[in-house]
Amino acid sequence: MILLMHKTGIEDTQVLRLRQQTGQEVVVCHRKDVTPEDLERADVIITHQLTVEHLAQAARLSWVHVLSAGIDHLPLSALAERGLVLTNSSGIHAIPMAEQILGMMLMFTRRLHTDLRSQLRHEWLRGREGLGELYGQTLTIVGAGRIGQEVARKAKAFDMRVIGVKRRVEPLSWFDEVVASARLDDVLPESDFVLLLLPLTEDTHHLIGARQLEKMKSSAILLNFGRGDVVDESALIRALAKGHIAGAALDVFHTEPLPPDSPLWDLDNVLISPHKSGISNRYYQRALDCFLRNFRARQAGRPMPNRVDIARGY
């Protein structure tokens, strides 16, 4: 039995398609309303959230598919202890995230956020200071996976130079250059935009701190759309306040929701979105399509494309 432990936003037609294409019984419930009986019968759980208590009741469980890319909110030790298969929905966020990332970059180059503030004050300000273009600028994407590759594809339409930073160096379409993670500090000084698309692991925690921010251009923009703690938030606030970098576009934070007293709210050179860049009206359609691809691979004895290495955390 497949237990779909998430109800909000999923349409009946999508559940029907899940039943038809798997040939399995599919039980749908809200996480708060799940019964011990449903958990006991579940061979597969599809969910956003999962607790140790859920796992303790799911004796038949062999596979968990999470409706997000990140897995750091899951009880990973308990999953590993049980030897359970874990897959995520990595890849489904590429289109909406890429559109939001390019949108925020355009806001900075065309100063659209300042125009919006002027509109709210009924002010007609035609200042030319700071107006620029994406054309010819260098975008460095740290974490050149599926989302990064979609951003790169769209960035090339603006005639940008794109550098990728990843663990394994390989040629990638739409990238002018790909360098190893160890060379991040080398490419920061030549980057006009630095985009972070990394999971949170021991290696990526505070990857961007005071030293890295000092290496960036004073005209550079930092964009974090991976995990909040990839950036040392205190160091970022100091760098923004002192003008060491020109601005930041942030979708993720150390604490979420972002506390009302965070200095980030009041900095004129910061754009904030509440961890929603991957959301669109096609989210659950794509998430269930992703599950089905992994289901078919498993049935055929092929490697599951979204299987997570629990030890590595991604």
Side-chain angles (χ1 to χ4, degrees):
M1 182 265 277
I2 297 172
L3 177 59
L4 178 52
M5 208 161 64
H6 185 82
K7 202 167 184 179
T8 307
I10 296 178
E11 299 174 2
D12 291 342
T13 54
Q14 294 169 338
V15 176
L16 178 61
R17 183 164 170 264
L18 200 59
R19 290 187 177 117
Q20 290 173 337
Q21 297 208 12
T22 62
Q24 305 281 316
E25 179 187 1
V26 178
V27 173
V28 183
C29 67
H30 194 281
R31 180 169 50 92
K32 295 177 182 176
D33 301 325
V34 66
T35 67
E37 292 75 24
D38 287 336
L39 287 165
E40 286 170 11
R41 295 176 55 229
D43 301 293
V44 180
I45 292 178
I46 305 172
T47 187
H48 268 299
Q49 297 280 351
L50 194 69
T51 66
V52 172
E53 290 72 27
H54 291 141
L55 289 175
Q57 297 176 75
R60 292 179 51 177
L61 185 65
S62 61
W63 172 20
V64 175
H65 180 82
V66 63
L67 294 165
S68 61
I71 61 163
D72 46 289
H73 60 289
L74 298 176
L76 298 179
S77 297
L79 288 165
E81 214 171 277
R82 287 271 300 272
L84 298 175
V85 172
L86 175 64
T87 55
N88 65 5
S89 297
S90 177
I92 72 167
H93 311 85
I95 291 173
M97 285 186 68
E99 291 183 4
Q100 180 149 335
I101 288 162
L102 266 294
M104 284 187 157
M105 290 167 62
L106 284 166
M107 286 186 76
F108 273 112
T109 56
R110 302 309 302 162
R111 308 297 294 167
L112 297 178
H113 55 306
T114 61
D115 288 341
L116 177 58
R117 291 166 187 155
S118 296
Q119 179 184 344
L120 294 173
R121 295 191 300 264
H122 296 197
E123 292 179 341
W124 180 269
L125 299 176
R126 293 193 69 224
R128 298 183 182 185
E129 185 179 352
L131 282 177
E133 303 171 350
L134 293 182
Y135 178 90
Q137 296 207 55
T138 296
L139 166 63
T140 292
I141 301 175
V142 187
R146 280 174 280 192
I147 296 168
Q149 290 168 43
E150 181 65 14
V151 174
R153 186 178 74 85
K154 287 177 164 58
K156 295 308 287 184
F158 289 91
D159 298 305
M160 299 188 76
R161 177 172 176 250
V162 184
I163 299 173
V165 179
K166 64 195 305 284
R167 286 186 305 111
R168 184 164 59 88
V169 176
E170 59 184 333
L172 293 173
S173 298
W174 315 110
F175 286 81
D176 296 281
E177 184 181 1
V178 179
V179 304
S181 302
R183 287 197 54 209
L184 173 61
D185 285 4
D186 297 335
V187 296
L188 288 176
E190 60 185 287
S191 306
D192 299 296
F193 294 89
V194 177
L195 169 61
L196 307 175
L197 293 169
L198 295 167
L200 181 61
T201 67
E202 287 185 10
D203 292 335
T204 65
H205 183 264
H206 285 193
L207 180 71
I208 300 295
R211 186 170 63 84
Q212 289 73 30
L213 292 164
E214 287 172 7
K215 290 180 179 293
M216 292 172 63
K217 295 180 180 181
S218 61
S219 59
I221 305 294
L222 178 73
L223 303 102
N224 189 9
F225 284 74
R227 285 292 180 267
D229 280 336
V230 170
V231 176
D232 180 340
E233 201 166 279
S234 297
L236 175 62
I237 289 168
R238 290 193 297 271
L240 290 164
K242 293 178 179 178
H244 291 167
I245 63 172
L250 307 171
D251 188 57
V252 291
F253 304 89
H254 170 69
T255 301
E256 296 183 7
L258 185 64
D261 61 350
S262 170
L264 291 169
W265 288 112
D266 298 313
L267 290 170
D268 288 341
N269 54 352
V270 174
L271 296 177
I272 288 172
S273 58
H275 204 153
K276 66 171 189 177
S277 62
I279 299 172
S280 83
N281 57 356
R282 296 176 176 168
Y283 187 96
Y284 289 112
Q285 173 191 326
R286 289 182 177 133
L288 294 179
D289 284 347
C290 177
F291 170 80
L292 287 169
R293 285 193 295 274
N294 286 274
F295 180 87
R296 287 191 285 267
R298 193 183 195 210
Q299 293 293 95
R302 301 192 308 269
M304 299 167 79
N306 286 74
R307 183 156 185 177
V308 173
D309 184 328
I310 296 177
R312 286 184 171 178
Y314 56 90

